[in-house]
Amino acid sequence: MKKINILLLPLVLVLASCGGGKEKDIDTLISEKNVAAITEKRDALKVEKAELDAKIKQLSEAIEEINPTKKKTYITLFSAKDSIFSHYLELQGNVDTKKNIVITPEMSGILKQVFVKEGQRVSKGQILARVDDGGMSQQVAQLQIQADLAKTTYERQKRLWDQKIGSEIQYLQAKSAYEAQQKAVDQIKVQLSKTAIRAPFTGVVDDVITEQGSVVAAGQSQIIRIVNLRDMYIEAVIPEKYLTSVTKGKKVEVYFPVLGKTIDATIRQAGDFIDPNNRTFKVEIAVPNKDGNIKPNLTAKLKINDYTNPKAILIPQSVISENAEGEQYVYIADSLKGETAKAKRAYITTGKTQGDFIEILKGLTNGDAIVDEGARSVNDGQEITIIKK
């Protein structure tokens, strides 16, 4: 036994000296400061790491493939359908009426009488008030007497002339005097008629502005305001780019916020003049007012139908994405198999908007299954699971 031990001892020493012992750890290598040994160890670890990464990736892919509980991307779909799309230009206007005026007298003087009161309905031509004539009626009476005398003289002279009695010059003088006197009477009667203030149209007395007994000036003093609420309209200012689409006869939805009332109306007149200051033109919208609730200067919100597409595809704006180049796109479900499909990116061209929806001009066709909920979380070519159609 002793002999065997003696023989083995040199062998152990040889193996130890040849590096057959335990492999040196990293700390030992670094402490020895042997660059060649450290480099060799680093390269060996790199190779080992690459092999391990490849195996880990292979195992992960296998897990994703065979794991029944792997995470899925759930989405909902809606179908693109042709529908009627009506676009509306929304703006604001004020109610007005062409029959809303303040009446002024044609003759100066004292307002002698006011025959109406506020709220009273009056007819066209009805006398509302009268200005003192300043003795003009007496002048009419005097002139009328003279005119009657001139008429009698003329008639007698005519009978004589018809019988060939008297001279022609006497007949012509009598005729001329009568006609001149009659014209003088007619002229002063016209002046006298101006003392009466009449209603220019049928309507309602809104305000008696000047009280009886006041001195009024022709064409200046405001006497009475009269309004007719039957012929109402709204005047609105339209940007010039809508010149060809906002025309006479277009349908308009009119909403009165104060009344909480909506009515349907039409454009009865579209202006032909573009205002150079703001590049706009005016339109008038007739407003029916049977119950009389709509008053002048009432604010109205207008929706004018400026564009209609009978076969438009409309989608919510929320499902549209945009890339760095400014291109818009949506995702559609491709290769449908039961509840699964693949997301396919479809680039689109959009048109006009109305509320939360937008018109699609290019990129989608009738019947396309478009990703709705979950549209922001899918990628092109990704497998998706449909939970609702």
Side-chain angles (χ1 to χ4, degrees):
M1 178 66 70
K2 186 176 180 180
K3 188 180 290 186
I4 294 173
N5 290 336
I6 293 172
L7 293 173
L8 289 174
L9 182 59
L11 180 60
V12 172
L13 293 173
V14 171
L15 290 173
S17 64
C18 294
K22 184 179 179 181
E23 183 178 357
K24 296 179 181 179
D25 58 22
I26 293 176
D27 291 336
T28 303
L29 284 173
I30 293 173
S31 64
E32 291 177 352
K33 298 183 180 180
N34 186 335
V35 176
I38 293 173
T39 302
E40 182 181 355
K41 184 65 175 178
R42 183 197 63 186
D43 294 340
L45 289 175
K46 283 184 177 181
V47 173
E48 184 178 350
K49 178 180 180 299
E51 292 176 351
L52 288 174
D53 287 342
K55 291 178 181 180
I56 291 171
K57 181 179 179 182
Q58 185 178 359
L59 292 173
S60 297
E61 290 176 351
I63 292 172
E64 287 291 324
E65 186 67 29
I66 64 177
N67 184 11
T69 61
K70 68 177 181 178
K71 184 178 180 181
K72 298 181 180 180
T73 301
Y74 295 97
I75 57 94
T76 63
L77 298 177
F78 69 92
S79 181
K81 294 182 179 179
D82 290 339
S83 60
I84 298 176
F85 172 59
S86 296
H87 182 266
Y88 293 91
L89 170 64
E90 299 185 13
L91 40 84
Q92 184 170 299
N94 291 323
V95 178
D96 203 351
T97 175
K98 295 186 184 296
K99 294 183 177 180
N100 173 22
I101 65 169
V102 174
I103 303 173
T104 58
E106 294 184 81
M107 181 173 289
S108 299
I110 298 174
L111 188 62
K112 186 177 181 180
Q113 291 175 297
V114 177
F115 302 109
V116 295
K117 58 184 179 180
E118 294 175 359
Q120 180 178 336
R121 187 165 188 82
V122 296
S123 302
K124 181 179 180 180
Q126 180 178 336
I127 297 178
L128 309 177
R130 189 180 292 277
V131 177
D132 183 65
D133 59 19
M136 197 177 298
S137 56
Q138 286 80 9
Q139 294 179 35
V140 172
Q142 293 174 4
L143 288 173
Q144 188 63 55
I145 292 172
Q146 295 175 11
D148 292 341
L149 176 60
K151 180 180 180 183
T152 301
T153 303
Y154 162 68
E155 289 175 346
R156 289 180 178 181
Q157 194 65 43
K158 184 176 185 302
R159 283 197 299 270
L160 291 173
W161 175 246
D162 291 341
Q163 296 173 14
K164 306 299 181 181
I165 301 173
S167 65
E168 184 180 5
I169 190 65
Q170 290 175 325
Y171 163 72
L172 293 176
Q173 287 175 342
K175 182 181 178 182
S176 177
Y178 165 63
E179 290 176 350
Q181 201 65 40
Q182 189 58 51
K183 286 183 178 179
V185 171
D186 293 341
Q187 184 178 8
I188 197 167
K189 282 184 176 179
V190 170
Q191 292 297 319
L192 183 61
S193 68
K194 293 181 180 180
T195 62
I197 301 172
R198 299 177 181 271
F201 51 80
T202 299
V204 176
V205 176
D206 185 67
D207 189 13
V208 176
I209 303 171
T210 304
E211 296 297 329
Q212 183 173 305
S214 302
V215 177
V216 296
Q220 298 181 18
S221 301
Q222 298 183 349
I223 308 300
I224 294 170
R225 177 184 291 276
I226 183 172
V227 179
N228 188 325
L229 299 181
R230 297 294 181 183
D231 186 21
M232 309 292 286
Y233 71 94
I234 297 172
E235 186 175 84
V237 177
I238 311 295
E240 66 175 348
K241 67 178 181 179
Y242 296 102
L243 184 63
T244 58
S245 57
V246 178
T247 56
K248 182 180 178 180
K250 282 283 187 177
K251 300 294 182 183
V252 183
E253 183 181 292
V254 183
Y255 173 66
F256 301 99
V258 173
L259 303 178
K261 178 180 180 181
T262 301
I263 63 172
D264 295 323
T266 57
I267 296 177
R268 73 179 182 187
Q269 181 181 344
D272 296 320
F273 173 75
I274 303 296
D275 189 332
N277 296 318
N278 54 15
R279 311 307 304 174
T280 62
F281 64 98
K282 293 181 179 180
V283 297
E284 280 188 10
I285 301 157
V287 178
N289 190 24
K290 294 181 180 180
D291 54 9
N293 288 336
I294 301 172
K295 310 294 183 182
N297 298 315
L298 190 65
T299 300
K301 293 183 177 180
L302 310 176
K303 293 176 67 176
I304 303 175
N305 177 214
D306 66 313
Y307 169 77
T308 299
N309 185 350
K311 289 188 176 182
I313 293 178
L314 302 178
I315 66 171
Q317 297 186 59
S318 58
V319 304
I320 299 176
S321 300
E322 187 174 307
N323 60 21
E325 288 74 32
E327 297 174 311
Q328 294 180 310
Y329 60 89
V330 296
Y331 287 104
I332 60 176
D334 191 29
S335 304
L336 277 166
K337 293 181 181 178
E339 296 182 351
T340 62
K342 283 191 176 181
K344 180 181 178 182
R345 183 177 295 175
Y347 290 95
I348 58 174
T349 301
T350 57
K352 296 181 180 293
T353 62
Q354 193 68 57
D356 295 330
F357 290 85
I358 190 166
E359 177 190 21
I360 304 301
L361 302 178
K362 292 181 181 179
L364 295 176
T365 57
N366 189 34
D368 281 345
I370 303 170
V371 178
D372 187 4
E373 296 181 18
R376 303 289 185 182
S377 61
V378 300
N379 295 311
D380 191 26
Q382 181 181 352
E383 185 176 310
I384 51 179
T385 301
I386 304 162
I387 59 173
K388 182 182 178 182
K389 295 183 181 180

